[in-house]
C-alpha cells in the first residue's frame, strides 16, 4: 500500500489513500511504525495526517515530535493531525497540555 501512496498516478494513489483513511483506527500501530521510518516526506506527511484521523491520543507523542521536522510539509501535517487529536474529547488533560504546548511552540518558531 505504501508503494501506491508514492504513485504519481491518481488511479493508484487515490484508492490507497482512501483505504488507509478508512482503516486508520485498525491499522494505527502499523501506520505509526511506517511513519517513524518513512524517508519520503510526502508519504510521511500522509501517514501523519492519517494518524490524526485515528482520534487516538496514544499517537500524540510521535506526532508532536514531527513539529520539529526540518521539512515544512511534515510540520504542517503534524500540526493538522494534532489539531484533529486536540479536538477529540477523549484526550486526557495532560495530552491536551502537550498538544497546546507543541502548537504554541510551532507558532512561535514561524
Amino acid at each position: 500500500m505504501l508503494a501506491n501512496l508514492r504513485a504519481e498516478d491518481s488511479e493508484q494513489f487515490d484508492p490507497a489513500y482512501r483505504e488507509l483513511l478508512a482503516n486508520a483506527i485498525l491499522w494505527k500501530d502499523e501506520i505509526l511504525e511506517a511513519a517513524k521510518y518513512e524517508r519520503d516526506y510526502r508519504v510521511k506527511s500522509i501517514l501523519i495526517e492519517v494518524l490524526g484521523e485515528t482520534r487516538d491520543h496514544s499517537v500524540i507523542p510521535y506526532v508532536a515530535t514531527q513539529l520539529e521536522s526540518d521539512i515544512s510539509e511534515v510540520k504542517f501535517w503534524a500540526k493538522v493531525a494534532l489539531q484533529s487529536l486536540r479536538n477529540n474529547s477523549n484526550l486526557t488533560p495532560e495530552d491536551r497540555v502537550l498538544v497546546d504546548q507543541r502548537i504554541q511552540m510551532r507558532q512561535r518558531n514561524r
Side-chain angles (χ1 to χ4, degrees):
M1 176 172 314
L2 290 182
N4 287 339
L5 291 177
R6 291 181 179 86
E8 298 291 330
D9 177 16
S10 64
E11 288 183 24
Q12 288 180 302
F13 174 85
D14 291 345
Y17 178 71
R18 283 193 303 273
E19 185 176 5
L20 193 62
L21 279 174
N23 293 290
I25 295 169
L26 294 173
W27 298 346
K28 176 197 60 140
D29 294 334
E30 291 84 358
I31 295 168
L32 181 59
E33 282 304 305
K36 288 178 181 178
Y37 298 103
E38 183 57 51
R39 292 179 183 233
D40 181 328
Y41 75 90
R42 290 169 295 211
V43 175
K44 185 180 200 86
S45 297
I46 292 165
L47 296 172
I48 291 169
E49 173 194 4
V50 171
L51 287 171
E53 294 300 318
T54 66
R55 305 288 198 248
D56 184 329
H57 67 270
S58 70
V59 302
I60 289 173
Y62 170 74
V63 173
T65 65
Q66 297 309 298
L67 291 173
E68 308 302 322
S69 174
D70 293 334
I71 301 168
S72 61
E73 188 171 343
V74 171
K75 286 182 186 181
F76 173 80
W77 287 109
K79 182 177 179 183
V80 169
L82 286 172
Q83 288 173 334
S84 293
L85 292 161
R86 171 69 171 88
N87 292 331
N88 180 357
S89 61
N90 293 330
L91 288 177
T92 66
E94 295 81 15
D95 286 333
R96 285 190 189 279
V97 168
L98 176 63
V99 170
D100 289 342
Q101 287 173 343
R102 292 295 184 156
I103 290 171
Q104 289 171 2
M105 189 181 327
R106 164 73 169 102
Q107 291 170 342
R108 281 193 299 256
N109 291 333
R110 280 201 269 172

